[in-house]
Amino acid sequence: MSLVTSFSSSFSRHLRRNTQAGSITLPAESDLRESSTLSIGAIVKQLRRQIGWGKSVQRRHGESRCGSVFIVGAGPGDAELLTVKALRLLQQADVVLFDALVSQEILSLIPGKVEKEYVGKRCKKHSFTQSAICQRVVALANAGKTVVRLKGGDPALFARTCEETAALQAANIPFAIVPGITAASGVSAYTGIPLTDRRCAQSVSFMTAHFQDASQWPEMAAMARNVLKQTVVVYMGLSRLQGLCEGLANHKVPDHWPVAVIENGTTHEQRVVTGSLSDISDRVAQAKLTGPTLLIFGKVVESRQLVNTLLLQSTEHATTI
């Protein structure tokens, strides 16, 4: 049996089972055998004309077409710390919604044909509410777009990813999460401050200085216990630095306990200020740091090694104070 005859026989049986009798005219198998020029493509075209199959499929796709969303970590700032997957998705996206902490260096890697929308949030400066961002991502995906939701650092750390994935799941929109290098890891590498050291810190904890309730503060007694035996990294903590230091001192953390404040980590504008609970706030004020910053509390600050940032970055090395 020829390929054409085999295709026609099986397709004919399928259509006869699934259509009303007499509604479709199929070529006889004898005619197929006698024709040396009739192709499978010709058969399909004939059937499509008779049953309107092509139009109905296109219409169904038009009605149900749904895009997809990739929640992508942009890393801590240096564009060369992007993952290969993140870079590929940025180049293939229809639209990229990016946060305030995504560097211009990274944004320059996005092709001109890709739409870019800023949805950043900085302390007391929100261009969009979180609810509005969720609605926008859902709307773009429902319009059939491939959306990259680009977040500074790693999406799993203090990035409100849960709220966005919940909105996507509720709307039945397929999504995936692409991890990025979190700020703590990037800053550790670019400052020479280890996150752990078996001599003084066998564990590390990450915490945020800001909560959904803007008046809420970290539980200082628990933070003090952690600071004395491990490394504590505080995200988004610059505006609360003095209050955190005073709270730790009130809970019997020694005044000389080491602290490091890093601004614009891993970028060419990176600056590092080190000190202790008793003087770090004054040192930061003198340096006129404005953020974004990361705070590191713990003995690991004393283990710092001055890395050669010229080996890490292609132009001027970061400033150390």
Side-chain angles (χ1 to χ4, degrees), residues 48-288:
R48 280 179 170 170
R49 282 195 299 270
Q50 292 187 57
I51 65 175
W53 180 60
K55 293 181 180 179
S56 64
V57 169
Q58 290 172 359
R59 184 166 57 250
R60 286 198 303 273
H61 284 180
E63 292 172 353
S64 62
R65 188 183 178 209
C66 179
S68 55
V69 176
F70 296 90
I71 300 175
V72 176
D78 185 347
E80 290 186 329
L81 295 181
L82 274 175
T83 65
V84 174
K85 185 181 288 288
L87 181 59
R88 175 177 63 80
L89 291 171
L90 288 175
Q91 294 173 339
Q92 295 176 346
D94 293 316
V95 59
V96 174
L97 277 64
F98 63 95
D99 282 346
L101 296 181
V102 177
S103 69
Q104 188 59 45
E105 190 180 6
I106 291 173
L107 294 176
S108 68
L109 298 175
I110 302 173
K113 64 182 178 63
V114 179
E115 298 176 42
K116 294 188 286 289
E117 294 187 16
Y118 174 71
V119 291
K121 295 187 294 294
R122 292 292 301 275
C123 184
K124 299 179 182 179
K125 295 179 181 179
H126 290 193
S127 62
F128 279 77
T129 64
Q130 185 59 53
S131 176
I133 293 172
C134 293
Q135 292 173 16
R136 181 60 177 156
V137 173
V138 168
L140 287 168
N142 277 332
K145 303 283 189 180
T146 298
V147 182
V148 167
R149 177 69 178 94
L150 191 62
K151 296 173 175 284
D154 180 83
L157 277 171
F158 311 123
R160 306 189 184 186
T161 297
C162 290
E163 295 167 64
E164 294 175 20
T165 55
L168 292 169
Q169 189 168 20
N172 293 317
I173 293 170
F175 67 88
I177 299 174
V178 179
I181 295 175
T182 188
S185 296
V187 161
S188 172
Y190 278 57
T191 63
I193 300 174
L195 293 178
T196 62
D197 186 326
R198 65 179 182 172
R199 298 168 297 180
C200 60
Q202 297 180 356
S203 61
V204 58
S205 62
F206 301 150
M207 58 178 288
T208 177
H210 295 276
F211 301 84
Q212 188 169 15
D213 178 356
S215 65
Q216 182 181 350
W217 276 72
E219 209 290 293
M220 296 308 302
M223 182 179 175
R225 289 193 297 271
N226 289 337
V227 164
L228 289 171
K229 61 183 180 181
Q230 62 176 263
T231 305
V232 175
V233 180
V234 181
Y235 286 65
M236 301 167 284
L238 181 62
S239 64
R240 289 190 162 185
L241 174 61
Q242 184 171 350
L244 291 172
C245 291
E246 291 174 352
L248 291 172
N250 290 337
H251 285 84
K252 301 182 179 180
V253 177
D255 286 346
H256 64 268
W257 209 255
V259 186
V261 179
I262 302 94
E263 178 188 60
N264 295 317
T266 78
T267 71
H268 302 308
E269 291 76 39
Q270 175 178 293
R271 294 198 291 168
V272 183
V273 178
T274 59
S276 64
L277 288 184
S278 61
D279 65 10
I280 190 65
S281 294
D282 290 339
R283 288 173 177 261
V284 166
Q286 291 171 7
K288 298 181 180 180

Side-chain angles (χ1 to χ4, degrees), residues 288-305:
K288 298 181 180 180
L289 302 189
T290 59
T293 59
L294 198 75
L295 316 181
I296 301 178
F297 295 85
K299 286 286 188 180
V300 292
V301 175
E302 295 177 343
S303 302
R304 181 185 182 191
Q305 301 295 318

